[in-house]
Amino acid sequence: GIMGQADFHRNDAVIGLGGGATTDLAGFVGATWLRGVRTILIPTTLLGMVDAAIGGKTGVNTQEGKNLVGVFHQPYKVFIDLDTLETLPRNELLAGMSELVKYGFISDPEILETVLNDDHSTDPSSDVFAELVTKAVAIKERITTEDFKESGQREILNYGHTLGHAIEHAERYKWRHGAAISIGMTFAAELSMLSGKLSDSDVE
């Protein structure tokens, strides 16, 4: 209704400025209004920058579960400004690191080495942090371009999300997404070890 009242046409654009939930909602609105208009996303959280705003996958939560309503709609542009993280609460930043670390596990072990060994890896003003975000965005962009509608390789991006989403649902979404995913990744690693597919040292 609001879009119609604002006389929103095909040559207009939806702009999503905020965290992952905001950019997801903006992407969903942009995808469904007039069957799709341009969407410009400006994520202001680390999780939004390295995950939610990249790849065109939008989702809206319902009481029955997470992201059950959604659509694939590639954004027209995504603008990432690390300066917006300077006012982000520390716990939000660290929660976002779980999605960044995920890319280390699924694609680039150098990300893990940097996070483990460089004290500047969680400092948004550092060059090290900027490089980590750049690597993460590049990995997600590559995977989602090759498999836009998640019919194959893109599923690897869900590492840690099976149990993670269950935790979020059970806790009525009071947990930060990144916190739940970090537990989900640990859980998946333990299962892999129990099934003989991962060594004790790799799990550690």
Side-chain angles (χ1 to χ4, degrees), residues 165-173:
H165 282 175
I167 291 172
E168 287 181 283
H169 184 250
E171 296 294 333
R172 300 179 184 274
Y173 303 106

Side-chain angles (χ1 to χ4, degrees), residues 32 66 74 80 106 127 148 161 171 184 201:
T32 53
K66 187 177 176 71
Q74 196 69 274
I80 293 175
I106 67 175
D127 292 340
F148 182 54
H161 285 59
E171 296 294 333
S201 60

Side-chain angles (χ1 to χ4, degrees), residues 49-66:
M49 291 175 181
V50 301
D51 185 51
I54 309 296
K57 188 177 179 183
T58 72
V60 180
N61 300 339
T62 69
Q63 288 186 342
E64 287 70 32
K66 187 177 176 71

Side-chain angles (χ1 to χ4, degrees), residues 10-142:
R10 287 189 183 279
N11 59 344
D12 295 318
V14 174
I15 299 176
L17 172 66
T22 300
T23 57
D24 260 30
L25 178 60
F28 180 73
V29 171
T32 53
W33 184 254
L34 298 176
R35 297 186 178 90
V37 296
R38 287 179 300 175
T39 305
I40 297 171
L41 303 180
I42 309 172
T44 58
T45 64
L46 178 57
L47 195 146
M49 291 175 181
V50 301
D51 185 51
I54 309 296
K57 188 177 179 183
T58 72
V60 180
N61 300 339
T62 69
Q63 288 186 342
E64 287 70 32
K66 187 177 176 71
N67 296 334
L68 292 180
V69 179
V71 67
F72 291 96
H73 182 65
Q74 196 69 274
Y76 177 67
K77 296 284 184 183
V78 177
F79 294 103
I80 293 175
D81 182 356
L82 296 181
D83 287 348
T84 62
L85 299 180
E86 291 183 5
T87 57
L88 193 70
R90 184 69 176 170
N91 284 344
E92 284 289 348
L93 182 71
L94 294 178
M97 287 295 292
S98 67
E99 288 284 2
L100 195 151
V101 165
K102 177 189 74 178
Y103 296 112
F105 285 118
I106 67 175
S107 181
D108 185 355
E110 287 186 7
I111 291 175
L112 303 177
E113 291 296 323
T114 301
V115 171
L116 281 171
N117 299 315
D118 196 313
D119 292 339
H120 297 292
S121 63
T122 59
D123 177 3
S125 65
S126 71
D127 292 340
V128 172
F129 185 89
E131 182 180 352
L132 287 172
V133 171
T134 300
K135 284 183 175 182
V137 170
I139 292 169
K140 181 155 192 188
E141 194 276 334
R142 173 179 56 79

